Amino acid sequence: MSRSLNVIFAGTPDFAASSLQALLDSKHNVVAVYTQPDRQSGRGKKISMSPVKELALQHDIPVEQPTSLKAEEAQQQLASYNADIMVVVAYGLLLPQTVLDIPRLGCINVHGSLLPRWRGAAPIQRAIEAGDSESGITIMQMEAGLDTGPMISKAVTPITADDTGASLHDKLAAQGATLLVSTMDNIASDNFSAESQDDSLATYAHKLSKQEAFIDWNQSAHQIERTVRAFNSWPVAQSKLEDKVIRVWASEVVEAESSQSAGTIISADKSGVLVACGENHLLLTELQLPGSRKMSVKDLLNAPKNQELLANGAQFS
């Protein structure tokens, strides 16, 4: 029977909080939590804590929020917890080699892809955007390179035709939490091995940006539809119509040829707004106008001003 391990947990967003909760529910002992400093958020610019910090405080776990782990003082503080292992999940800070070497069993990372595919900051969204048929979780031993360490365990999940960045995020967060606990148990009993990654198969998942959320209508409808799903719920695919930025939350591909230029509205009715693309058409089914909530096109078209905005022949840019 494996013994319990003393763990330092480092993570910040909801994805990481799922893994922290699983550790708290396990036999392992979380001795400290590291998370990003509190930040301003929302229109009111209120200071908010990360989901990981909120969870840690609920369980009376010490919370550390250094802006860097390069300083000797920060490293001494981390070492003072005498942890067996450090678990890192979407933390947001680089760990220098000196930190990786502090815990007796090193540091492991829960990553939202099937490494070596999609190393980097946005593996969930990039997998959908690229049209991958599956994703999953890889738990690896951390080293100085970006997501390059030896792989300890993996779990696979299919990417369905209606998966969004948000839905796949939630699936992988739950899957990662489950896999983390079983992997920790195996590490505690020294019943594990690590497989080196094949660097020749590596792809890089660049961080998402608001700028790339603007739709290029010259792309194929299939590519745009994948982007719409990948960028739901952030940064949300969008396009300009007249002087308004329209956010596109959901869409469907319509196989059809058109003589209309890319970005032209072909029709708008309760089924959606049909737009010409570089190849085939895209039916926009859920939109968000400036200053409003997202809603179905059927509901949007109840307002005459929206019927005018989404009229046949109007041009997205």
Side-chain angles (χ1 to χ4, degrees):
M1 183 175 180
S2 64
R3 59 189 179 82
S4 62
L5 296 175
N6 288 330
V7 184
I8 291 174
F9 184 89
T12 299
D14 287 324
F15 188 86
S18 297
S19 287
L20 176 57
Q21 184 63 66
L23 282 178
L24 293 171
D25 293 338
S26 75
K27 64 185 176 185
H28 302 291
N29 179 35
V30 180
V31 296
V33 160
Y34 278 68
T35 191
Q36 287 279 309
D38 299 346
R39 303 192 190 284
Q40 292 181 333
S41 65
R43 292 183 179 179
K45 297 296 182 182
K46 293 182 179 179
I47 300 296
S48 62
M49 297 182 291
S50 73
V52 163
K53 180 178 179 178
E54 290 182 1
L55 182 57
L57 293 179
Q58 290 170 17
H59 291 267
D60 297 320
I61 299 170
V63 175
E64 303 288 349
Q65 297 178 272
T67 56
S68 170
L69 287 170
K70 295 179 180 179
E72 183 178 352
E73 182 180 357
Q75 294 173 12
Q76 289 175 349
Q77 177 63 40
L78 193 149
S80 71
Y81 287 108
N82 294 315
D84 296 306
I85 194 168
M86 185 169 178
V87 174
V88 182
V89 189
Y91 178 29
L93 281 186
L94 291 175
L95 273 59
Q97 189 64 50
T98 48
V99 169
L100 298 178
D101 293 338
I102 289 173
R104 180 177 62 85
L105 296 171
C107 303
I108 63 171
N109 175 248
V110 180
H111 185 75
S113 82
L114 298 174
L115 290 172
R117 186 162 178 80
W118 301 128
R119 296 171 178 173
I124 296 171
Q125 295 85 353
R126 298 305 181 193
I128 295 174
E129 184 184 27
D132 290 3
S133 61
E134 63 182 17
S135 183
I137 293 292
T138 304
I139 296 182
M140 64 179 163
Q141 191 82 42
M142 294 181 71
E143 57 182 31
L146 179 63
D147 301 330
T148 58
M151 302 175 293
I152 300 171
S153 56
K154 279 187 175 182
V156 178
T157 191
I159 299 177
T160 66
D162 58 356
D163 262 326
T164 64
S167 68
L168 186 57
H169 167 282
D170 292 349
K171 290 178 184 179
L172 294 182
Q175 186 178 56
T178 300
L179 185 62
L180 174 60
V181 172
S182 63
T183 301
M184 289 282 289
D185 291 346
N186 289 337
I187 291 174
S189 61
D190 200 26
N191 180 30
F192 76 101
S193 60
E195 175 190 355
S196 296
Q197 296 186 39
D198 184 346
D199 291 341
S200 69
L201 300 177
T203 56
Y204 183 65
H206 292 276
K207 184 179 180 180
L208 300 179
S209 70
K210 291 183 178 179
Q211 186 57 42
E212 68 176 316
F214 280 90
I215 295 169
D216 178 2
W217 295 101
N218 291 304
Q219 292 182 326
S220 72
H222 285 281
Q223 178 60 62
I224 298 171
E225 188 272 341
R226 291 198 300 267
T227 300
V228 169
R229 288 190 290 114
F231 291 2
N232 176 345
S233 59
W234 195 90
V236 187
Q238 51 199 271
S239 189
K240 283 190 175 181
L241 188 60
E242 295 181 357
D243 61 343
K244 296 178 173 61
V245 175
I246 312 295
R247 292 178 136 197
V248 181
W249 286 87
S251 64
E252 301 170 8
V253 174
V254 176
E255 304 275 357
E257 294 185 6
S258 174
S259 59
Q260 301 274 20
S261 61
T264 302
I265 294 178
I266 298 170
S267 65
D269 55 35
K270 63 182 181 180
S271 67
V273 178
L274 190 65
V275 183
C277 302
E279 182 181 333
N280 295 314
H281 298 159
L282 195 68
L283 186 68
L284 314 182
T285 57
E286 189 173 36
L287 301 175
Q288 184 177 6
L289 302 184
S292 180
R293 61 180 177 83
K294 62 181 178 180
M295 63 179 70
S296 68
V297 169
K298 178 181 178 181
D299 291 338
L300 268 179
L301 292 177
N302 287 332
K305 65 178 181 179
N306 293 337
Q307 294 176 21
E308 292 180 19
L309 177 67
L310 300 169
N312 297 1
Q315 185 78 33
F316 281 107
S317 61

